[in-house]
Amino acid sequence: MRESHPGTCPACGGEIRIVHHRLDIPHFPDILLVSIACDACGFRHTDTIILGEGDPVRWTVRVEEPGDLAIRVARSTTGTIEIPELGLRVEPGTACEGFVTNIEGVLSRFEQAVETILANPESEDERAAALRMVETIAAAREVAFPFTVILEDPAGNSALVSEKAEKMLLDQGEA
């Protein structure tokens, strides 16, 4: 069900419309999509809010061929994504948003984070390390070497959608 409500823009204080839509998507409990747009200043924000919780879960998949890059990744606001072979890990934070993408999209997100570091490195060593990481991520996008994607979620609302992905329920203390 789609609903629209008036609100106040957090950027300029002008009037905005807050639109939310409840969806039924496989692998998730009820989902609420929220969209905010301000005509006055151009502020835009979208978010995916998962309205329920499941059991703590860890999903793992081994990326071994180019087709594996298309494996769907549904990460909730409580999910952590890790690629151990690359030394990359992203944990949820206060401004964390859920998203649905694929493994190639996850690599792109990591690449964007590294490029942010390259825009203003604190030292020449940090710059050199970031450049090496950009090359490593590029090689991973070509599946020049196999790597593992781990998606862990204490609320059980994230998933790797593939027959190849392995799901393991975690004890409450593990997640």
Side-chain angles (χ1 to χ4, degrees):
M1 173 162 72
R2 183 183 172 112
E3 294 183 22
S4 179
H5 302 280
T8 303
C9 177
C12 74
E15 284 191 33
I16 59 171
R17 297 298 303 166
I18 301 169
V19 178
H20 57 88
H21 187 96
R22 208 170 177 144
L23 294 176
D24 177 28
I25 297 177
H27 309 290
F28 285 101
D30 288 339
I31 291 181
L32 187 65
L33 297 177
V34 180
S35 173
I36 301 170
C38 179
D39 292 333
C41 72
F43 175 82
R44 291 189 159 332
H45 176 76
T46 58
D47 201 358
T48 305
I49 302 167
I50 298 169
L51 302 174
E53 283 195 13
D55 294 323
V57 67
R58 177 183 298 130
W59 289 87
T60 306
V61 69
R62 188 87 171 143
V63 177
E64 300 171 308
E65 57 185 312
D68 294 339
L69 295 172
I71 291 172
R72 182 72 51 213
V73 178
R75 177 194 178 227
S76 80
T77 57
T78 55
T80 297
I81 298 176
E82 181 177 10
I83 303 176
E85 295 86 350
L86 302 180
L88 297 172
R89 179 180 176 97
V90 63
E91 296 181 359
T94 55
C96 179
E97 294 180 355
F99 60 81
V100 178
T101 187
N102 57 26
I103 291 176
E104 185 172 13
V106 169
L107 290 171
S108 292
R109 286 170 180 265
F110 278 125
E111 188 174 51
Q112 289 170 2
V114 173
E115 287 174 358
T116 300
I117 293 169
L118 276 173
N120 193 18
E122 291 184 13
S123 68
E124 193 55 41
D125 288 343
E126 185 178 66
R127 183 182 187 290
L131 287 171
R132 284 191 304 276
M133 183 54 68
V134 167
E135 290 175 7
T136 303
I137 292 171
R141 288 178 110 162
E142 299 295 322
V143 194
F145 55 88
F147 60 93
T148 308
V149 176
I150 300 168
L151 177 55
E152 198 168 287
D153 190 341
N157 291 327
S158 298
L160 295 174
V161 184
S162 169
E163 290 180 10
K164 204 174 167 180
E166 296 177 14
K167 178 182 179 182
M168 181 172 66
L169 293 178
L170 303 174
D171 292 334
Q172 294 291 336
E174 283 186 81

